[in-house]
Amino acid sequence: MNDIICPNCKKAFKVDEAGFADILKQVRDHQFEEELKTRMVIAEREKDSAVKLAEANLKNALQVHISKKDNEIAELKARAERALTEQVMKKDAEIATMKSAIENAELDKKLKISEAVKLIEKERDDLLNAVNSKELEKQVLETTLKDKFQAELKSKEEIIKIKDEEIAFRKDMKLKLSTKMVGETLEQHCEIEFNKLRATAFPKAYFEKDNDSKTGSKGDYIYKETDDDGNEIISIMFEMKNEVDETTTKKKNEDFLKELDKDRIEKKCEYAVLVSLLESDSELYNTGIVDVAHKFPKMYVVRPQFFIPIITLLRNAAMNSLKYKAELATMKNQNIDITNFEDNINSFKEGFARNYEMASKKFKIAIDEIDKTIDHLQKTKDALLSSENNLRLANNKAEDLTIKKLTRGNPTMSAKFDELSKGIDSGDDGVEDDF
C-alpha cells in the first residue's frame, strides 16, 4: 500500500499496486494521445504548408511566363505601330506632294482649256467626217462577216456529214470484223487520233502501250505529262474494249472496271479511262463521258469519239490545280511571319503544359509522402497500444501466479514447499524473513 496525496484537495489516500498501475497506465495513455494529436496537427500543418508552397511556386512560374510573353507581344505591337506611323507619315508627304502637283495642273489646265477649245471644235468636225466613213466601213464589214459565217456553217455541216458517214462505216466494219480485230482496230483508232494532235496539243506528253505485265495484268495505253521542271501534271491508264453484235458472250463495261482500277494503282496512274463500244444500246454510256467514281475512284467510261476530249478535260483540270498550288505556295510564303508567330505560341503552350504536368506530379508525390507518414504514425500507435495490452496481460498473469499453480503436477517442488511451510510454523524467523 502507498500513500497518495490528491493535488486538488490535498488529502492522502492509500492505493495498492494494482490501482497505482492502473493510474499510471491512464496517465501514459493520456500523454500518448496528447503527443499523437500534437504530431498529427504538426503533420497536417506541414502538409498544408507543402501544398501552399507548391501552389505558390506554380503561380510564380506561370506569372513569369505570362509576363515574358506579354512583354514580347507589347514589343511586337510597338514595332507594328512605329512601322504604321512611318508609313502614314510617308503617305501624308506623298499626298501633300500630289495635292501641290494637282493644283499646279489645275492652273495649267485652265490656261490650256481656252487653247484646246478651238482645237476640239476642229477635231469635232474631223470626227464627224470620220464617223460617216466608219459607218460605211461597218456596213461592209457586217456583210463580210455574214458571208464568212455562212461559209463556216456550211463547212461544219459538211464535217458533221463526214462524221455521220464515218460512224456508219465503223458500224458496218464492226459487223464484219472478229472480236479481237475490232479491239485492235479501236486501239489503233485511238492511237491515230492522238498522234494527229500530239505535235500541237500534247508536245510534252507520253502516250505508249503498256507492255509491263510483271504483276500479271496490264492496261492498253498509258498517258503521262510533266511540266518544265519534271513534275507530273497528269497520268491516265487507258483500256479499250469492243465486241461485234454477233458475239455469243456479251460483256458489260462493269466487268472490266475492277481490273482497270488494279492496273491504274499498280502503274501509279492518277486516272483510269475505259474507252468502250460495249453496251451500244445503253442510254447512259451513249451520252459520252460517264463518271464511275462511285464504284472506283477517278475512273471514267467514254465512247471513242470522246477519247481526245476526256484527255483535254482532265489535263486542263490538272493544269488549273498546278496554278492553285503555286498561288497557295505564294500565299504561304507571304504569311510565314504569322505561321512562325503561331508556332511560337504553340511552343509556349506545350512548354507550359509540360511544366505544369511536372509540377502536378511533384505535388502528388509530396501528398503521397505525407499520407505515408500519417499511415506510418498510425501503425506506430497501433504497435504501442498492442505492446501495452500485452504488458497488461503479462502483469495480470504475474499477479495470478500462486505457489499451488507452480507446484501442481510437480511432487518434488510440492515436498520442498511443504518442508518450508513446516519450518515457518516452527518459528524460524530467518526463513520467514527471507520468504
Side-chain angles (χ1 to χ4, degrees):
M1 301 295 289
N2 296 317
D3 292 336
I4 301 298
I5 298 175
C6 177
N8 294 325
C9 62
K10 307 299 181 181
K11 292 182 180 181
F13 58 92
K14 295 184 179 293
V15 179
D16 58 4
E17 293 181 357
F20 184 78
D22 185 57
I23 292 173
L24 184 60
K25 173 181 174 296
Q26 293 179 12
V27 172
R28 285 201 308 270
D29 289 349
H30 181 71
Q31 290 178 348
F32 179 78
E33 291 291 340
E34 290 294 330
E35 184 177 356
L36 182 61
K37 290 180 180 179
T38 302
R39 292 188 180 181
M40 291 287 287
V41 170
I42 293 172
E44 187 67 25
R45 290 177 180 174
E46 291 178 352
K47 175 182 176 181
D48 294 339
S49 298
V51 171
K52 292 179 179 179
L53 179 59
E55 291 178 351
N57 292 335
L58 184 60
K59 289 180 180 178
N60 291 334
L62 176 61
Q63 189 64 34
V64 169
H65 284 290
I66 292 174
S67 299
K68 183 177 179 181
K69 291 302 175 182
D70 289 342
N71 293 333
E72 293 178 358
I73 293 172
E75 184 177 355
L76 290 174
K77 287 183 178 179
R79 291 179 181 176
E81 290 176 355
R82 287 196 297 270
L84 181 60
T85 302
E86 292 177 357
Q87 291 180 358
V88 171
M89 293 177 64
K90 184 177 180 181
K91 291 297 181 182
D92 290 339
E94 293 177 355
I95 291 172
T97 303
M98 293 177 67
K99 285 183 178 179
S100 178
I102 291 171
E103 291 176 355
N104 294 331
E106 287 291 334
L107 292 175
D108 294 337
K109 179 180 178 182
K110 289 179 180 179
L111 293 175
K112 293 179 179 179
I113 285 176
S114 58
E115 297 177 358
V117 168
K118 295 180 180 180
L119 294 175
I120 292 174
E121 290 176 351
K122 184 177 181 298
E123 290 178 356
R124 181 191 61 188
D125 296 336
D126 295 339
L127 288 173
L128 288 174
N129 295 329
V131 166
N132 294 329
S133 176
K134 292 294 182 181
E135 286 291 334
L136 294 175
E137 292 180 0
K138 179 183 177 182
Q139 293 176 359
V140 173
L141 181 62
E142 287 179 352
T143 303
T144 304
L145 290 175
K146 287 180 180 179
D147 294 340
K148 183 179 180 181
F149 177 75
Q150 293 293 334
E152 290 180 353
L153 182 61
K154 183 178 180 180
S155 176
K156 289 182 179 179
E157 290 176 351
E158 292 177 354
I159 292 173
I160 293 172
K161 182 179 179 181
I162 293 172
K163 291 293 183 181
D164 292 338
E165 292 176 353
E166 183 179 357
I167 291 172
F169 172 74
R170 295 293 180 182
K171 288 182 178 179
D172 182 65
M173 180 181 65
K174 185 177 72 171
L175 294 174
K176 295 178 181 178
L177 296 176
S178 64
T179 301
K180 181 176 180 181
M181 287 298 294
V182 170
E184 291 176 352
T185 303
L186 180 58
E187 292 179 9
Q188 293 173 1
H189 166 75
C190 293
E191 185 173 0
I192 291 171
E193 290 297 319
F194 183 84
N195 288 331
K196 287 180 181 179
L197 301 173
R198 182 191 289 268
T200 55
F202 311 104
K204 298 180 181 180
Y206 169 90
F207 183 75
E208 301 293 340
K209 287 187 68 68
D210 180 17
N211 296 319
D212 184 6
S213 59
K214 295 178 181 179
T215 58
S217 64
K218 62 185 181 67
D220 288 332
Y221 282 88
I222 294 178
Y223 172 89
K224 287 187 178 181
E225 187 172 356
T226 58
D227 59 10
D228 295 336
D229 297 328
N231 300 317
E232 182 178 292
I233 299 174
I234 187 174
S235 58
I236 309 173
M237 170 64 72
F238 282 99
E239 182 77 15
M240 286 73 172
K241 291 296 177 184
N242 191 8
E243 63 183 7
V244 295
D245 293 338
E246 288 80 5
T247 304
T248 56
T249 304
K250 293 294 183 180
K251 295 288 187 179
K252 293 184 178 180
N253 291 318
E254 294 184 0
D255 298 337
F256 302 96
L257 299 183
K258 184 177 181 181
E259 188 70 19
L260 177 58
D261 184 64
K262 178 184 175 184
D263 294 335
R264 177 187 72 85
I265 295 173
E266 290 177 349
K267 303 304 167 58
K268 298 180 180 179
C269 293
E270 184 178 2
Y271 293 95
V273 176
L274 175 63
V275 183
S276 171
L277 284 172
L278 304 180
E279 301 182 61
S280 58
D281 297 331
S282 173
E283 294 183 2
L284 173 64
Y285 295 112
N286 287 337
T287 56
I289 299 176
V290 179
D291 185 354
V292 291
H294 60 282
K295 294 185 178 180
F296 297 97
K298 296 187 175 183
M299 184 176 293
Y300 298 88
V301 178
V302 301
R303 293 305 188 193
Q305 60 268 31
F306 292 96
F307 169 68
I308 296 298
I310 189 64
I311 296 178
T312 304
L313 289 174
L314 296 179
R315 180 174 179 269
N316 292 339
M319 295 295 292
N320 292 333
S321 177
L322 284 179
K323 180 180 178 181
Y324 296 145
K325 289 179 181 177
E327 293 178 355
L328 180 61
T330 303
M331 294 178 63
K332 186 175 182 181
N333 291 331
Q334 293 175 351
N335 297 329
I336 188 67
D337 293 335
I338 297 176
T339 303
N340 291 335
F341 180 74
E342 291 179 351
D343 292 339
N344 292 333
I345 291 296
N346 292 331
S347 298
F348 165 71
K349 290 180 179 180
E350 292 175 357
F352 178 78
R354 183 168 56 254
N355 293 333
Y356 177 79
E357 183 179 0
M358 293 175 64
S360 299
K361 290 181 178 179
K362 295 293 184 182
F363 179 76
K364 186 176 184 302
I365 291 173
I367 295 298
D368 292 340
E369 291 297 327
I370 292 172
D371 293 337
K372 289 179 181 179
T373 302
I374 294 173
D375 185 59
H376 179 69
L377 291 173
Q378 184 65 36
K379 290 180 179 179
T380 303
K381 175 184 174 182
D382 295 339
L384 290 173
L385 292 175
S386 177
S387 176
E388 188 275 334
N389 187 48
N390 290 329
L391 289 173
R392 181 180 59 79
L393 295 174
N395 184 59
N396 292 337
K397 290 180 180 179
E399 291 177 355
D400 196 36
L401 185 63
T402 62
I403 299 299
K404 290 182 179 180
K405 290 182 179 180
L406 287 174
T407 58
R408 184 180 300 155
N410 193 337
T412 302
M413 293 300 295
S414 297
K416 293 292 185 181
F417 278 104
D418 289 338
E419 292 176 1
L420 184 60
S421 296
K422 291 177 181 179
I424 292 171
D425 294 337
S426 64
D428 190 349
D429 295 335
V431 176
E432 183 180 359
D433 294 338
D434 293 337
F435 180 74

mmCIF file of all heavy atoms in Angstrom, residues 179-213:
data_model
loop_
_atom_site.group_PDB
_atom_site.id
_atom_site.type_symbol
_atom_site.label_atom_id
_atom_site.label_comp_id
_atom_site.label_asym_id
_atom_site.label_seq_id
_atom_site.Cartn_x
_atom_site.Cartn_y
_atom_site.Cartn_z
ATOM 1 N N THR A 179 -13.993 -10.295 -132.904
ATOM 2 C CA THR A 179 -13.868 -9.552 -131.643
ATOM 3 C C THR A 179 -12.461 -9.025 -131.447
ATOM 4 O O THR A 179 -12.234 -7.869 -131.084
ATOM 5 C CB THR A 179 -14.250 -10.470 -130.461
ATOM 6 O OG1 THR A 179 -15.573 -10.928 -130.651
ATOM 7 C CG2 THR A 179 -14.144 -9.710 -129.146
ATOM 8 N N LYS A 180 -11.449 -9.864 -131.666
ATOM 9 C CA LYS A 180 -10.070 -9.448 -131.474
ATOM 10 C C LYS A 180 -9.699 -8.335 -132.437
ATOM 11 O O LYS A 180 -9.066 -7.345 -132.079
ATOM 12 C CB LYS A 180 -9.136 -10.633 -131.654
ATOM 13 C CG LYS A 180 -7.670 -10.276 -131.433
ATOM 14 C CD LYS A 180 -6.796 -11.504 -131.537
ATOM 15 C CE LYS A 180 -5.331 -11.147 -131.323
ATOM 16 N NZ LYS A 180 -4.451 -12.318 -131.439
ATOM 17 N N MET A 181 -10.093 -8.468 -133.711
ATOM 18 C CA MET A 181 -9.768 -7.459 -134.694
ATOM 19 C C MET A 181 -10.428 -6.130 -134.366
ATOM 20 O O MET A 181 -9.848 -5.060 -134.548
ATOM 21 C CB MET A 181 -10.199 -7.938 -136.081
ATOM 22 C CG MET A 181 -9.313 -9.038 -136.648
ATOM 23 S SD MET A 181 -7.617 -8.471 -136.873
ATOM 24 C CE MET A 181 -7.858 -7.239 -138.144
ATOM 25 N N VAL A 182 -11.663 -6.185 -133.867
ATOM 26 C CA VAL A 182 -12.360 -4.957 -133.505
ATOM 27 C C VAL A 182 -11.629 -4.244 -132.387
ATOM 28 O O VAL A 182 -11.423 -3.030 -132.401
ATOM 29 C CB VAL A 182 -13.822 -5.265 -133.107
ATOM 30 C CG1 VAL A 182 -14.464 -4.035 -132.494
ATOM 31 C CG2 VAL A 182 -14.605 -5.690 -134.331
ATOM 32 N N GLY A 183 -11.206 -5.017 -131.350
ATOM 33 C CA GLY A 183 -10.486 -4.418 -130.231
ATOM 34 C C GLY A 183 -9.193 -3.785 -130.682
ATOM 35 O O GLY A 183 -8.847 -2.667 -130.298
ATOM 36 N N GLU A 184 -8.422 -4.506 -131.537
ATOM 37 C CA GLU A 184 -7.160 -3.964 -132.028
ATOM 38 C C GLU A 184 -7.406 -2.723 -132.889
ATOM 39 O O GLU A 184 -6.644 -1.752 -132.837
ATOM 40 C CB GLU A 184 -6.416 -5.028 -132.823
ATOM 41 C CG GLU A 184 -5.901 -6.190 -131.957
ATOM 42 C CD GLU A 184 -5.238 -7.283 -132.788
ATOM 43 O OE1 GLU A 184 -5.324 -7.187 -134.026
ATOM 44 O OE2 GLU A 184 -4.645 -8.193 -132.192
ATOM 45 N N THR A 185 -8.482 -2.751 -133.664
ATOM 46 C CA THR A 185 -8.794 -1.603 -134.507
ATOM 47 C C THR A 185 -9.149 -0.387 -133.656
ATOM 48 O O THR A 185 -8.780 0.742 -133.989
ATOM 49 C CB THR A 185 -9.963 -1.947 -135.449
ATOM 50 O OG1 THR A 185 -9.612 -3.100 -136.208
ATOM 51 C CG2 THR A 185 -10.252 -0.778 -136.382
ATOM 52 N N LEU A 186 -9.847 -0.592 -132.527
ATOM 53 C CA LEU A 186 -10.188 0.508 -131.626
ATOM 54 C C LEU A 186 -8.925 1.124 -131.027
ATOM 55 O O LEU A 186 -8.794 2.351 -130.929
ATOM 56 C CB LEU A 186 -11.119 0.010 -130.519
ATOM 57 C CG LEU A 186 -11.566 1.065 -129.498
ATOM 58 C CD1 LEU A 186 -12.278 2.221 -130.189
ATOM 59 C CD2 LEU A 186 -12.461 0.435 -128.437
ATOM 60 N N GLU A 187 -7.964 0.282 -130.638
ATOM 61 C CA GLU A 187 -6.699 0.791 -130.099
ATOM 62 C C GLU A 187 -5.975 1.612 -131.166
ATOM 63 O O GLU A 187 -5.453 2.698 -130.877
ATOM 64 C CB GLU A 187 -5.828 -0.369 -129.634
ATOM 65 C CG GLU A 187 -6.373 -1.111 -128.423
ATOM 66 C CD GLU A 187 -5.476 -2.278 -128.020
ATOM 67 O OE1 GLU A 187 -4.372 -2.374 -128.578
ATOM 68 O OE2 GLU A 187 -5.887 -3.073 -127.156
ATOM 69 N N GLN A 188 -5.944 1.072 -132.396
ATOM 70 C CA GLN A 188 -5.274 1.800 -133.467
ATOM 71 C C GLN A 188 -5.970 3.125 -133.758
ATOM 72 O O GLN A 188 -5.323 4.144 -134.002
ATOM 73 C CB GLN A 188 -5.260 0.937 -134.732
ATOM 74 C CG GLN A 188 -4.393 -0.313 -134.606
ATOM 75 C CD GLN A 188 -4.524 -1.251 -135.791
ATOM 76 O OE1 GLN A 188 -5.269 -0.953 -136.725
ATOM 77 N NE2 GLN A 188 -3.822 -2.375 -135.756
ATOM 78 N N HIS A 189 -7.290 3.106 -133.703
ATOM 79 C CA HIS A 189 -8.049 4.332 -133.928
ATOM 80 C C HIS A 189 -7.676 5.400 -132.900
ATOM 81 O O HIS A 189 -7.402 6.557 -133.260
ATOM 82 C CB HIS A 189 -9.552 4.032 -133.859
ATOM 83 C CG HIS A 189 -10.399 5.264 -133.736
ATOM 84 N ND1 HIS A 189 -10.650 6.114 -134.783
ATOM 85 C CD2 HIS A 189 -11.036 5.786 -132.645
ATOM 86 C CE1 HIS A 189 -11.404 7.109 -134.371
ATOM 87 N NE2 HIS A 189 -11.658 6.936 -133.072
ATOM 88 N N CYS A 190 -7.634 5.008 -131.605
ATOM 89 C CA CYS A 190 -7.311 5.965 -130.546
ATOM 90 C C CYS A 190 -5.877 6.469 -130.701
ATOM 91 O O CYS A 190 -5.609 7.667 -130.510
ATOM 92 C CB CYS A 190 -7.508 5.319 -129.175
ATOM 93 S SG CYS A 190 -9.227 4.935 -128.792
ATOM 94 N N GLU A 191 -4.959 5.558 -131.035
ATOM 95 C CA GLU A 191 -3.568 5.971 -131.180
ATOM 96 C C GLU A 191 -3.417 6.941 -132.353
ATOM 97 O O GLU A 191 -2.687 7.942 -132.260
ATOM 98 C CB GLU A 191 -2.679 4.744 -131.393
ATOM 99 C CG GLU A 191 -1.198 5.076 -131.443
ATOM 100 C CD GLU A 191 -0.328 3.839 -131.495
ATOM 101 O OE1 GLU A 191 -0.881 2.710 -131.486
ATOM 102 O OE2 GLU A 191 0.902 3.985 -131.535
ATOM 103 N N ILE A 192 -4.114 6.681 -133.447
ATOM 104 C CA ILE A 192 -4.037 7.574 -134.608
ATOM 105 C C ILE A 192 -4.625 8.947 -134.273
ATOM 106 O O ILE A 192 -4.048 9.991 -134.617
ATOM 107 C CB ILE A 192 -4.768 6.939 -135.806
ATOM 108 C CG1 ILE A 192 -3.998 5.722 -136.315
ATOM 109 C CG2 ILE A 192 -4.949 7.957 -136.939
ATOM 110 C CD1 ILE A 192 -4.746 4.904 -137.346
ATOM 111 N N GLU A 193 -5.776 8.947 -133.579
ATOM 112 C CA GLU A 193 -6.403 10.211 -133.206
ATOM 113 C C GLU A 193 -5.478 11.036 -132.313
ATOM 114 O O GLU A 193 -5.388 12.258 -132.431
ATOM 115 C CB GLU A 193 -7.737 9.952 -132.489
ATOM 116 C CG GLU A 193 -8.830 9.409 -133.383
ATOM 117 C CD GLU A 193 -9.206 10.392 -134.466
ATOM 118 O OE1 GLU A 193 -9.292 11.599 -134.158
ATOM 119 O OE2 GLU A 193 -9.390 9.963 -135.621
ATOM 120 N N PHE A 194 -4.768 10.360 -131.391
ATOM 121 C CA PHE A 194 -3.860 11.077 -130.508
ATOM 122 C C PHE A 194 -2.656 11.618 -131.284
ATOM 123 O O PHE A 194 -2.232 12.760 -131.082
ATOM 124 C CB PHE A 194 -3.383 10.154 -129.378
ATOM 125 C CG PHE A 194 -2.493 10.844 -128.375
ATOM 126 C CD1 PHE A 194 -3.041 11.576 -127.334
ATOM 127 C CD2 PHE A 194 -1.110 10.780 -128.489
ATOM 128 C CE1 PHE A 194 -2.225 12.222 -126.427
ATOM 129 C CE2 PHE A 194 -0.291 11.415 -127.589
ATOM 130 C CZ PHE A 194 -0.846 12.139 -126.535
ATOM 131 N N ASN A 195 -2.107 10.798 -132.179
ATOM 132 C CA ASN A 195 -0.924 11.207 -132.929
ATOM 133 C C ASN A 195 -1.228 12.377 -133.872
ATOM 134 O O ASN A 195 -0.333 13.149 -134.220
ATOM 135 C CB ASN A 195 -0.350 10.034 -133.715
ATOM 136 C CG ASN A 195 0.333 9.018 -132.808
ATOM 137 O OD1 ASN A 195 0.846 9.382 -131.740
ATOM 138 N ND2 ASN A 195 0.348 7.760 -133.217
ATOM 139 N N LYS A 196 -2.476 12.501 -134.280
ATOM 140 C CA LYS A 196 -2.840 13.635 -135.114
ATOM 141 C C LYS A 196 -2.630 14.963 -134.389
ATOM 142 O O LYS A 196 -2.299 15.979 -135.010
ATOM 143 C CB LYS A 196 -4.309 13.525 -135.537
ATOM 144 C CG LYS A 196 -4.585 12.463 -136.588
ATOM 145 C CD LYS A 196 -6.070 12.442 -136.915
ATOM 146 C CE LYS A 196 -6.391 11.371 -137.961
ATOM 147 N NZ LYS A 196 -7.843 11.322 -138.263
ATOM 148 N N LEU A 197 -2.847 14.951 -133.033
ATOM 149 C CA LEU A 197 -2.756 16.180 -132.254
ATOM 150 C C LEU A 197 -1.521 16.233 -131.359
ATOM 151 O O LEU A 197 -1.348 17.182 -130.601
ATOM 152 C CB LEU A 197 -4.009 16.330 -131.368
ATOM 153 C CG LEU A 197 -5.342 16.364 -132.100
ATOM 154 C CD1 LEU A 197 -6.485 16.351 -131.103
ATOM 155 C CD2 LEU A 197 -5.424 17.608 -132.977
ATOM 156 N N ARG A 198 -0.685 15.193 -131.434
ATOM 157 C CA ARG A 198 0.446 15.118 -130.496
ATOM 158 C C ARG A 198 1.377 16.336 -130.635
ATOM 159 O O ARG A 198 1.772 16.954 -129.645
ATOM 160 C CB ARG A 198 1.239 13.833 -130.734
ATOM 161 C CG ARG A 198 2.405 13.659 -129.760
ATOM 162 C CD ARG A 198 3.322 12.526 -130.209
ATOM 163 N NE ARG A 198 2.707 11.227 -130.047
ATOM 164 C CZ ARG A 198 2.843 10.472 -128.961
ATOM 165 N NH1 ARG A 198 3.550 10.911 -127.928
ATOM 166 N NH2 ARG A 198 2.273 9.285 -128.912
ATOM 167 N N ALA A 199 1.748 16.682 -131.858
ATOM 168 C CA ALA A 199 2.739 17.743 -132.073
ATOM 169 C C ALA A 199 2.227 19.107 -131.646
ATOM 170 O O ALA A 199 2.989 19.949 -131.165
ATOM 171 C CB ALA A 199 3.168 17.771 -133.534
ATOM 172 N N THR A 200 0.922 19.361 -131.797
ATOM 173 C CA THR A 200 0.379 20.695 -131.498
ATOM 174 C C THR A 200 -0.216 20.789 -130.092
ATOM 175 O O THR A 200 0.056 21.736 -129.360
ATOM 176 C CB THR A 200 -0.703 21.043 -132.523
ATOM 177 O OG1 THR A 200 -1.709 20.010 -132.533
ATOM 178 C CG2 THR A 200 -0.102 21.177 -133.910
ATOM 179 N N ALA A 201 -1.032 19.797 -129.692
ATOM 180 C CA ALA A 201 -1.734 19.887 -128.414
ATOM 181 C C ALA A 201 -0.995 19.211 -127.268
ATOM 182 O O ALA A 201 -1.137 19.619 -126.100
ATOM 183 C CB ALA A 201 -3.128 19.273 -128.547
ATOM 184 N N PHE A 202 -0.217 18.162 -127.565
ATOM 185 C CA PHE A 202 0.440 17.403 -126.490
ATOM 186 C C PHE A 202 1.927 17.205 -126.813
ATOM 187 O O PHE A 202 2.396 16.067 -126.939
ATOM 188 C CB PHE A 202 -0.239 16.037 -126.303
ATOM 189 C CG PHE A 202 -1.736 16.114 -126.208
ATOM 190 C CD1 PHE A 202 -2.533 15.751 -127.294
ATOM 191 C CD2 PHE A 202 -2.355 16.561 -125.057
ATOM 192 C CE1 PHE A 202 -3.908 15.812 -127.222
ATOM 193 C CE2 PHE A 202 -3.734 16.631 -124.977
ATOM 194 C CZ PHE A 202 -4.521 16.263 -126.051
ATOM 195 N N PRO A 203 2.694 18.294 -126.960
ATOM 196 C CA PRO A 203 4.101 18.127 -127.377
ATOM 197 C C PRO A 203 4.972 17.443 -126.328
ATOM 198 O O PRO A 203 5.958 16.806 -126.679
ATOM 199 C CB PRO A 203 4.555 19.572 -127.622
ATOM 200 C CG PRO A 203 3.660 20.402 -126.747
ATOM 201 C CD PRO A 203 2.336 19.706 -126.758
ATOM 202 N N LYS A 204 4.633 17.572 -125.046
ATOM 203 C CA LYS A 204 5.467 17.006 -123.974
ATOM 204 C C LYS A 204 4.833 15.762 -123.339
ATOM 205 O O LYS A 204 5.260 15.329 -122.270
ATOM 206 C CB LYS A 204 5.708 18.050 -122.884
ATOM 207 C CG LYS A 204 6.454 19.278 -123.383
ATOM 208 C CD LYS A 204 6.671 20.274 -122.258
ATOM 209 C CE LYS A 204 7.400 21.510 -122.748
ATOM 210 N NZ LYS A 204 7.616 22.492 -121.648
ATOM 211 N N ALA A 205 3.827 15.202 -123.990
ATOM 212 C CA ALA A 205 3.090 14.081 -123.403
ATOM 213 C C ALA A 205 3.708 12.747 -123.804
ATOM 214 O O ALA A 205 4.315 12.608 -124.868
ATOM 215 C CB ALA A 205 1.627 14.131 -123.827
ATOM 216 N N TYR A 206 3.543 11.752 -122.897
ATOM 217 C CA TYR A 206 3.952 10.362 -123.163
ATOM 218 C C TYR A 206 2.683 9.540 -123.360
ATOM 219 O O TYR A 206 1.803 9.514 -122.492
ATOM 220 C CB TYR A 206 4.756 9.833 -121.971
ATOM 221 C CG TYR A 206 4.999 8.333 -122.006
ATOM 222 C CD1 TYR A 206 6.123 7.800 -122.626
ATOM 223 C CD2 TYR A 206 4.095 7.455 -121.400
ATOM 224 C CE1 TYR A 206 6.346 6.433 -122.646
ATOM 225 C CE2 TYR A 206 4.309 6.080 -121.419
ATOM 226 C CZ TYR A 206 5.423 5.576 -122.039
ATOM 227 O OH TYR A 206 5.643 4.216 -122.056
ATOM 228 N N PHE A 207 2.554 8.896 -124.521
ATOM 229 C CA PHE A 207 1.386 8.064 -124.812
ATOM 230 C C PHE A 207 1.874 6.820 -125.549
ATOM 231 O O PHE A 207 2.148 6.865 -126.751
ATOM 232 C CB PHE A 207 0.362 8.836 -125.641
ATOM 233 C CG PHE A 207 -0.894 8.058 -125.924
ATOM 234 C CD1 PHE A 207 -1.843 7.876 -124.932
ATOM 235 C CD2 PHE A 207 -1.132 7.504 -127.176
ATOM 236 C CE1 PHE A 207 -3.008 7.161 -125.191
ATOM 237 C CE2 PHE A 207 -2.284 6.790 -127.431
ATOM 238 C CZ PHE A 207 -3.217 6.607 -126.430
ATOM 239 N N GLU A 208 2.006 5.724 -124.814
ATOM 240 C CA GLU A 208 2.524 4.480 -125.376
ATOM 241 C C GLU A 208 1.740 3.308 -124.810
ATOM 242 O O GLU A 208 1.039 3.419 -123.798
ATOM 243 C CB GLU A 208 4.016 4.306 -125.046
ATOM 244 C CG GLU A 208 4.918 5.417 -125.563
ATOM 245 C CD GLU A 208 5.000 5.473 -127.080
ATOM 246 O OE1 GLU A 208 4.683 4.445 -127.706
ATOM 247 O OE2 GLU A 208 5.376 6.534 -127.614
ATOM 248 N N LYS A 209 1.881 2.155 -125.465
ATOM 249 C CA LYS A 209 1.223 0.939 -124.982
ATOM 250 C C LYS A 209 1.864 0.481 -123.675
ATOM 251 O O LYS A 209 3.054 0.666 -123.449
ATOM 252 C CB LYS A 209 1.320 -0.183 -126.027
ATOM 253 C CG LYS A 209 0.420 0.021 -127.227
ATOM 254 C CD LYS A 209 0.429 -1.177 -128.147
ATOM 255 C CE LYS A 209 -0.242 -2.378 -127.486
ATOM 256 N NZ LYS A 209 -1.688 -2.175 -127.303
ATOM 257 N N ASP A 210 1.040 -0.126 -122.820
ATOM 258 C CA ASP A 210 1.524 -0.674 -121.552
ATOM 259 C C ASP A 210 2.009 -2.100 -121.813
ATOM 260 O O ASP A 210 1.213 -3.019 -121.989
ATOM 261 C CB ASP A 210 0.394 -0.655 -120.510
ATOM 262 C CG ASP A 210 0.856 -1.207 -119.179
ATOM 263 O OD1 ASP A 210 2.084 -1.298 -118.961
ATOM 264 O OD2 ASP A 210 -0.012 -1.548 -118.344
ATOM 265 N N ASN A 211 3.332 -2.272 -121.816
ATOM 266 C CA ASN A 211 3.924 -3.589 -122.093
ATOM 267 C C ASN A 211 4.446 -4.272 -120.832
ATOM 268 O O ASN A 211 5.048 -5.340 -120.910
ATOM 269 C CB ASN A 211 5.071 -3.440 -123.107
ATOM 270 C CG ASN A 211 4.572 -2.933 -124.449
ATOM 271 O OD1 ASN A 211 3.523 -3.364 -124.922
ATOM 272 N ND2 ASN A 211 5.321 -2.010 -125.048
ATOM 273 N N ASP A 212 4.240 -3.655 -119.664
ATOM 274 C CA ASP A 212 4.747 -4.210 -118.406
ATOM 275 C C ASP A 212 3.665 -5.109 -117.787
ATOM 276 O O ASP A 212 2.656 -4.635 -117.286
ATOM 277 C CB ASP A 212 5.102 -3.080 -117.442
ATOM 278 C CG ASP A 212 5.723 -3.615 -116.152
ATOM 279 O OD1 ASP A 212 5.961 -4.837 -116.076
ATOM 280 O OD2 ASP A 212 5.972 -2.812 -115.235
ATOM 281 N N SER A 213 3.894 -6.437 -117.850
ATOM 282 C CA SER A 213 2.931 -7.399 -117.288
ATOM 283 C C SER A 213 3.543 -8.187 -116.127
ATOM 284 O O SER A 213 3.206 -9.347 -115.913
ATOM 285 C CB SER A 213 2.452 -8.360 -118.380
ATOM 286 O OG SER A 213 3.564 -9.058 -118.936
#
